[in-house]
Amino acid sequence: MRKQLIILVVSIFLTLQYTYSQGSPDYTGGLKVKLNEDGTKYFRIISWAQFWARYQDEVPDDVSNTNMSIRRARILTYAQINKSFLILTHFGLNSLNANNQSPLGRGEESQLFFHGVWGQYNLNAKHAIGAGLHYWNGISRLNNQSTLNIMTLDNNRQSWATIGLSDQFARHIGIYAKGAFGKLQYRVSINESGTNNLQEATDPAPDGPAVYAGRRLLGSKDAGKNFAGYFDYHFFDQESNFLPYKVGTYLGGKKVFNVGAGFFFHPEGSVVANDTGELEGEDVAIFAVDAFYDAPLGENGSAITAYATYQNNDYGKNFTLGQTYETGSMIYGHVGYVIPNNNKKTKFQPYASFNRRSIDAIDDNATTFGVGANAYFSGHHSKITIEYLNTKYGDNDAQSFVTLQAMIYL
């Protein structure tokens, strides 16, 4: 079975290589509506959709190896009536498939919800403050990743380190400040921590592992707020921080080299119970350092994208949830290469990624390895991706996936 998967992946890679080569985007400004002649008053609408077809090698006998889903369907809009104020609204759905869609579209999983709603006041050209359900996150570049231009098929899951624990799908309700001092960019925030989360039905067992339920079990006075920040220094081209979404790959359109560091701190965010059942709070503390490089290679259209991060996760004593969040540490990296070609309409980019995590709860490791390729027809605005992913968690059997994604955004 694994030999067949390898043959399938290699065959599709070769087909893509000879069918698509490289090119430049012909997207100019997008769906932007000017409300005055000089364009200082405007609103912009961005819409995107990602469709998946996935093969999984190890499934129960009565389950199909292949399935299809809508990975993301989103609409984002932002507007300014002058240069001092901005409002952003982002809504959509995720991972709609045959198991969670509803007959009449009224089910919980098939409903649109707000991913972000925030207002911003610009103090000057370099600094701003804002409030709402926002995405100005801490920890790392990948915890601020845009889903429009990820280089790999999807974001490294453990980098979105607070999804469903303290936030609503990687967004907190809070106050943020963002800006730049020369080549150093920053984003910091003070946020509410959600009462309801992925462990809302779980209480800590006596002398057992921590449960992420500080606000629910200890109250909002001691466990209600969290603090986050991310700082990155831009050595070459300066990236925009007009919006919080970090670019995954520029395909050689910029020469970027950044190093960054960030944190997330939730006092008494987790709870443990001693041997008599008395509850005690434990601080949740996550920090990371990372580096990002994206640059053209010569004059032939080739380019390289590389990223690496070290992340330390302390969710409390022996915390683990769903083979996704664990107290321990993580090393992650990926690299991609845009193949040179005379065709200016398309680009082809093979890539590889690797994730290794230490897990205190099982005194063991988890590893994930992926290889894939992107075919770009108009930059990220029209893209096909195929990826082979192999994951292994402790002593569990390895799982393998082959996923094909079609994406368009306007």
Side-chain angles (χ1 to χ4, degrees):
M1 181 63 70
R2 290 183 180 174
K3 184 180 294 186
Q4 293 172 338
L5 285 175
I6 294 173
I7 292 173
L8 173 64
V9 172
V10 172
S11 298
I12 297 176
F13 282 1
L14 291 176
T15 301
L16 286 171
Q17 184 171 356
Y18 288 103
T19 306
Y20 315 118
S21 36
Q22 83 157 276
S24 59
D26 54 8
Y27 190 83
T28 55
L31 303 175
K32 185 175 181 180
V33 179
K34 296 181 180 179
L35 303 179
N36 61 357
E37 290 186 1
D38 63 6
T40 56
K41 297 181 181 181
Y42 68 90
F43 67 88
R44 183 178 179 188
I45 300 172
I46 302 174
S47 176
W48 68 103
Q50 298 166 339
F51 177 79
W52 279 17
R54 166 169 276 190
Y55 175 90
Q56 183 175 351
D57 63 347
E58 298 292 338
V59 297
D61 292 339
D62 62 343
V63 175
S64 173
N65 293 95
T66 60
N67 65 82
M68 293 176 285
S69 65
I70 297 174
R71 178 64 182 95
R72 294 181 181 91
R74 307 275 189 83
I75 294 175
L76 184 150
T77 179
Y78 59 89
Q80 285 187 307
I81 58 171
N82 60 50
K83 293 183 178 180
S84 295
F85 305 98
L86 177 143
I87 184 169
L88 182 145
T89 304
H90 177 191
F91 60 93
L93 57 74
N94 305 284
S95 301
L96 185 66
N97 57 61
N99 292 326
N100 61 26
Q101 70 184 65
S102 63
L104 299 177
R106 299 174 181 172
E108 180 179 347
E109 297 294 334
S110 57
Q111 297 301 300
L112 302 180
F113 70 94
F114 282 116
H115 288 69
V117 180
W118 70 80
Q120 179 176 293
Y121 176 74
N122 299 321
L123 302 175
N124 53 42
K126 293 288 188 179
H127 307 278
I129 58 174
L133 181 65
H134 70 87
Y135 193 64
W136 295 94
N137 295 325
I139 304 178
S140 72
R141 183 183 185 91
L142 293 192
N143 199 40
N144 294 274
Q145 171 72 60
S146 168
T147 59
L148 294 175
N149 47 49
I150 299 173
M151 188 192 73
T152 53
L153 177 78
D154 214 333
N155 199 27
N156 178 55
R157 183 62 184 83
Q158 287 71 36
S159 293
W160 272 321
T162 62
I163 285 184
L165 295 178
S166 66
D167 59 32
Q168 176 172 288
F169 219 83
R171 284 84 176 172
H172 286 99
I173 294 176
I175 301 170
Y176 68 85
K178 62 97 171 182
F181 295 98
K183 294 184 176 182
L184 176 68
Q185 292 188 6
Y186 71 90
R187 55 187 70 191
V188 292
S189 61
I190 302 174
N191 309 296
E192 294 285 352
S193 297
T195 302
N196 303 314
N197 65 10
L198 294 173
Q199 290 199 308
E200 62 182 339
T202 304
D203 291 337
D207 204 26
V211 173
Y212 206 127
R215 182 171 182 134
R216 174 170 62 87
L217 296 178
L218 303 178
S220 61
K221 181 178 180 180
D222 293 329
K225 300 294 188 294
N226 65 71
F227 309 88
Y230 180 68
F231 311 85
D232 54 339
Y233 189 85
H234 300 218
F235 287 92
F236 300 140
D237 291 350
Q238 304 298 292
E239 293 187 278
S240 171
N241 70 344
F242 178 75
L243 297 178
Y245 312 107
K246 290 291 190 179
V247 171
T249 174
Y250 288 100
L251 304 175
K254 285 179 174 285
K255 184 178 181 181
V256 176
F257 176 52
N258 302 343
V259 294
F263 70 92
F264 172 83
F265 181 63
H266 183 181
E268 301 193 44
S270 285
V271 181
V272 295
N274 60 25
D275 53 8
T276 64
E278 183 180 357
L279 300 182
E280 299 176 0
E282 291 202 337
D283 296 341
V284 174
I286 304 171
F287 71 87
V289 293
D290 59 5
F292 174 70
Y293 182 71
D294 192 298
L297 299 175
E299 302 297 328
N300 60 5
S302 62
I304 188 171
T305 299
Y307 176 80
T309 184
Y310 168 80
Q311 182 173 304
N312 185 276
N313 306 308
D314 186 355
Y315 294 100
K317 174 187 173 184
N318 288 333
F319 180 90
T320 181
L321 178 64
Q323 298 187 9
T324 301
Y325 307 105
E326 307 98 4
T327 291
S329 61
M330 175 186 74
I331 296 175
Y332 171 82
H334 62 232
V335 61
Y337 174 68
V338 176
I339 295 176
N341 191 282
N342 292 327
N343 186 333
K344 301 301 182 182
K345 295 298 295 181
T346 58
K347 295 177 185 287
F348 178 75
Q349 181 190 48
Y351 65 81
S353 64
F354 179 75
N355 177 335
R356 182 177 179 85
R357 311 183 330 257
S358 68
I359 305 161
D360 290 0
I362 62 174
D363 194 25
D364 206 340
N365 299 315
T367 57
T368 301
F369 172 73
V371 291
N374 295 307
Y376 301 92
F377 306 104
S378 181
H380 291 283
H381 303 283
S382 178
K383 178 176 73 172
I384 290 179
T385 302
I386 185 167
E387 181 179 274
Y388 168 79
L389 195 70
N390 181 274
T391 67
K392 190 174 189 306
Y393 190 92
D395 293 333
N396 295 343
D397 293 337
Q399 294 283 316
S400 295
F401 306 86
V402 176
T403 307
L404 181 66
Q405 173 184 269
M407 171 181 163
I408 291 177
Y409 97 78
L410 299 175

